[in-house]
């Protein structure tokens, strides 16, 4: 597609329920990122997929959070047993995924706003 | 951890140049400096990147010091629409992979 697409745009869920957030990266991009941004805060890195390599999960805050990327394209971020502190906007980004010594611009989607009540 | 430090906030008069500093004293090798900005409620937007030389595009200019330990993003004629949080990033190796780690950024307020 023309840009990074995320769905849903907004999600209100009850505490304790599971939620799935979807990211469709730019066609041809091999790298995909998930970030979380709480109200008034900076971007918190969650997870990074690069091609067929094992994902970098070092930013996931707890084992309630998981993500997968099927077929090297679409990614789903799953939050189990949601808590109120999970309320935030979840941003997905993608890039061509060039090696570190070359520039690699990332492009963001508009985010999925999650509210846990 | 982010490899950059930036002032928390800055003000700039409309029509004047906005100069946003960034410290990246631990930058190494061929690591690039990137700038993004985030306007309220939107996903971050790419502005510019550089390695050693100064760079200019239709949005901004990037001045990198000779030792590459700091840089300055310049918005030559700031408008109210430039009010945003500006992030300076060095894509270095963190927890085993090369990825973008965002710091807290600089909140730029352009004043009428």
């Amino acid at each position: 597609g023309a840009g990074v697409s995320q769905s849903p745009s907004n999600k209100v869920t009850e505490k304790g329920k599971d939620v799935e957030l979807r990211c469709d990266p730019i066609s041809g991009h091999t790298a995909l990122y998930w970030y979380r941004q709480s109200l008034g805060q900076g971007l918190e890195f969650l997870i990074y997929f690069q091609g067929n390599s094992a994902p970098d999960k070092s930013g996931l805050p707890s084992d309630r959070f998981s993500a997968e990327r099927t077929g090297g394209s679409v990614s789903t971020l799953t939050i189990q047993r949601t808590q109120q502190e999970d309320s935030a906007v979840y941003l997905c980004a993608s890039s061509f995924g060039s090696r570190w010594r070359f520039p690699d611009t990332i492009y963001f989607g508009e985010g999925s706003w999650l509210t846990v009540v | 951890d982010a490899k950059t430090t930036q002032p928390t906030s800055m003000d700039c008069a409309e029509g004047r140049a906005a100069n946003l500093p960034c410290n990246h004293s631990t930058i190494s090798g061929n690591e690039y400096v990137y700038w993004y900005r985030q306007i309220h409620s939107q996903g971050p937007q790419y502005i510019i990147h550089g390695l050693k030389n100064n760079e200019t595009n239709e949005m901004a200019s990037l001045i990198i010091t000779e030792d590459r330990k700091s840089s300055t993003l310049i918005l030559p004629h700031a408008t109210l629409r430039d009010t945003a949080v500006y992030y300076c990033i060095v894509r270095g190796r963190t927890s085993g992979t090369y990825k973008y780690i965002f710091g807290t950024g600089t909140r730029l307020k352009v004043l009428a």
Side-chain angles (χ1 to χ4, degrees), chain A residues 36-57:
Chain A
R36 177 171 72 173
Q37 189 171 34
S38 301
L39 192 63
Q41 303 298 310
L43 278 76
E44 176 188 4
F45 166 78
L46 296 178
I47 188 168
Y48 165 52
F49 296 89
Q50 173 56 67
N52 296 321
S53 301
D56 180 341
K57 304 179 183 179

Side-chain angles (χ1 to χ4, degrees), chain A residues 33 35 37 39-43 45 48 54 56 58 91 95 97-111 113, chain B residues 28-32 34 36 38 40-46 49 51 87 91 94-104 107:
Chain A
Y33 298 77
Y35 294 88
Q37 189 171 34
L39 192 63
Q41 303 298 310
L43 278 76
F45 166 78
Y48 165 52
D56 180 341
S58 59
L91 290 158
S95 73
S98 61
R99 297 175 68 112
W100 68 273
R101 61 178 179 273
F102 299 105
D104 188 36
T105 304
I106 59 172
Y107 298 89
F108 282 83
E110 290 305 312
W113 291 78
Chain B
S28 62
N30 292 323
E31 292 175 342
Y32 283 77
Y34 301 82
Y36 286 78
Q38 187 176 27
H40 182 62
S41 300
Q42 298 180 18
Q45 173 192 26
Y46 166 79
H49 71 272
L51 182 62
Y87 297 97
R91 185 169 69 117
T94 309
S95 300
T97 58
Y98 290 95
K99 55 186 175 285
Y100 283 85
I101 300 295
F102 285 73
T104 54
R107 189 171 296 275

